[in-house]
Amino acid sequence: MTAENLLVNDSGGSEDLEHAAMIFAEVRPRLFGIAYRMLGSSTEAEDLVQDVWVRWQTCDRSTVTNPAAYLATATTRLAINASQSARVRRETYVGPWLPEPIDTSADPLLGAERGEALGFAVLLLLERLSPNERAAYVLREAFDYPYRQIADILQSTEAAVRQLVSRARKHVASERRAPVTGGAEQRRLLKAFVTAARSGDLAMLEELFAADVVSYSDGGGVVTAARFPLTGATRVARFVTAVSRWFWTGVEVDWAQQNGQEAAVLSRDGIVFAVITVNASAPGIDQVLWMMNPAKFTAVSAAG
């Protein structure tokens, strides 16, 4: 008997709800992947997926012919609304806002067909899109949804959706440098950066950086962090060297896959206090991301 047959009679009680839970569990990784890419926050994505689960329990499932499509639609529409609210909140965010890191060691694609729109560099660029542009881009580029289905989800036309995806692609392509090929080079550069940062090696830092490197520190106004992005190899290198005198004291460094790329997880006495990663292209490290807001470490833990 198929899931659709079991959902025909919603009076089936616990048996029906059990099968509803099974269906939801099967598609949950995809729902979370959509929500996370839309919001850049693991915590907000988890809350949103929980809201979708509540709706799935209480809706008339006898009318649902394609549960996976229904749940993806509900997730995307709620995420569009949530992203609009998030954008308003981030206008008053203290200092640079960075996405909440999430462990991708178990699921490198985070429930998607492809790992697109998961890396920190692209998530930052997606913040500049309208919610509908972001949704269309995520559904198409990460999950390979057909344009017709995206149009149904967004309550739009296929032609309009194609335009949304095209605009989003052009924005990402125009603002993003070609990243270093493969994860090995990004990993090498990150480890070299951490080594140079810990020792305060100004010359090595300048050598690692692209000329127009940008350093973003997200403390959320909760911990001490640079309130504005720092730009330029010399300026960023001097900043990193200056803070090395106190920042790295008693720090243990663990290496983890966060958002599909290598990241350094920093802890003191077993408590994570920062996640650092870099984005790099042929000229060197373009971005240094210091994620230090304690509220963003719910999906991060120190090794051991």
Side-chain angles (χ1 to χ4, degrees):
M1 184 176 291
T2 66
E4 284 83 356
N5 294 142
L6 288 165
L7 290 175
V8 167
N9 183 2
D10 195 43
S11 63
S14 60
E15 182 180 359
D16 173 69
L17 190 57
E18 181 180 344
H19 282 90
M22 290 174 58
I23 292 169
F24 188 84
E26 288 178 1
V27 299
R28 192 186 189 286
R30 170 164 292 208
L31 305 183
F32 179 82
I34 293 172
Y36 177 77
R37 286 169 170 84
M38 286 291 296
L39 302 174
S41 166
S42 173
T43 304
E44 293 176 14
E46 288 284 5
D47 290 343
L48 190 147
V49 171
Q50 184 61 29
D51 288 344
V52 174
W53 164 238
V54 171
R55 291 189 178 207
W56 179 235
Q57 290 182 82
T58 57
C59 76
D60 182 3
R61 295 185 298 275
S62 67
T63 64
V64 178
T65 58
N66 187 333
Y70 172 90
L71 292 167
T73 298
T75 299
T76 304
R77 290 179 183 173
L78 285 175
I80 287 172
N81 292 336
S83 66
Q84 292 169 335
S85 301
R87 177 167 294 188
V88 173
R89 291 196 305 273
R90 286 167 194 167
E91 289 177 355
T92 58
Y93 194 83
V94 178
W97 177 92
L98 293 174
E100 183 177 335
I102 186 167
D103 183 3
T104 48
S105 57
D107 180 3
L109 304 182
L110 213 63
E113 300 292 333
R114 298 188 288 268
E116 185 60 41
L118 186 57
F120 294 109
V122 174
L123 283 174
L124 285 171
L125 291 175
L126 295 186
E127 284 291 304
R128 304 177 190 175
L129 302 180
S130 72
N132 275 16
E133 284 175 334
R134 186 167 184 166
Y137 182 87
V138 164
L139 293 173
R140 181 64 183 174
E141 297 301 291
F143 296 89
D144 202 27
Y145 276 87
Y147 285 106
R148 181 176 298 178
Q149 188 173 355
I150 299 173
D152 290 340
I153 292 173
L154 299 184
Q155 297 177 304
S156 184
T157 65
E158 187 173 337
V161 165
R162 287 182 181 274
Q163 290 183 341
L164 288 174
V165 174
S166 177
R167 285 201 301 268
R169 282 174 175 163
K170 288 177 181 176
H171 172 75
V172 171
S174 66
E175 296 289 333
R176 185 189 186 193
R177 290 177 177 171
V180 289
T181 56
E185 181 63 4
Q186 186 266 345
R187 186 179 307 115
R188 183 191 72 80
L189 288 169
L190 173 64
K191 292 189 175 184
F193 168 77
V194 170
T195 298
R198 293 192 80 157
S199 62
D201 190 331
L202 179 66
M204 179 59 70
L205 288 167
E206 289 183 321
E207 184 178 330
L208 290 170
F209 292 152
D212 57 353
V213 62
V214 183
S215 173
Y216 298 93
S217 302
D218 179 350
V222 180
V223 298
T224 301
R227 294 290 181 95
F228 301 96
L230 302 175
T231 304
T234 299
R235 188 181 183 197
V236 174
R238 287 176 176 170
F239 164 77
V240 174
T241 302
V243 303
S244 68
R245 298 165 190 161
W246 56 268
F247 183 84
W248 297 94
T249 302
V251 172
E252 295 183 3
V253 180
D254 296 310
W255 305 99
Q257 283 291 308
Q258 303 288 334
N259 294 65
Q261 63 192 82
E262 192 83 4
V265 179
L266 311 187
S267 59
R268 287 193 185 94
D269 301 321
I271 300 174
V272 174
F273 74 94
V275 174
I276 299 175
T277 194
V278 300
N279 296 315
S281 60
I285 294 173
D286 319 295
Q287 295 178 332
V288 182
L289 308 181
W290 309 73
M291 289 156 279
M292 301 168 61
N293 184 343
K296 295 188 176 184
F297 299 146
T298 56
V300 179
S301 60

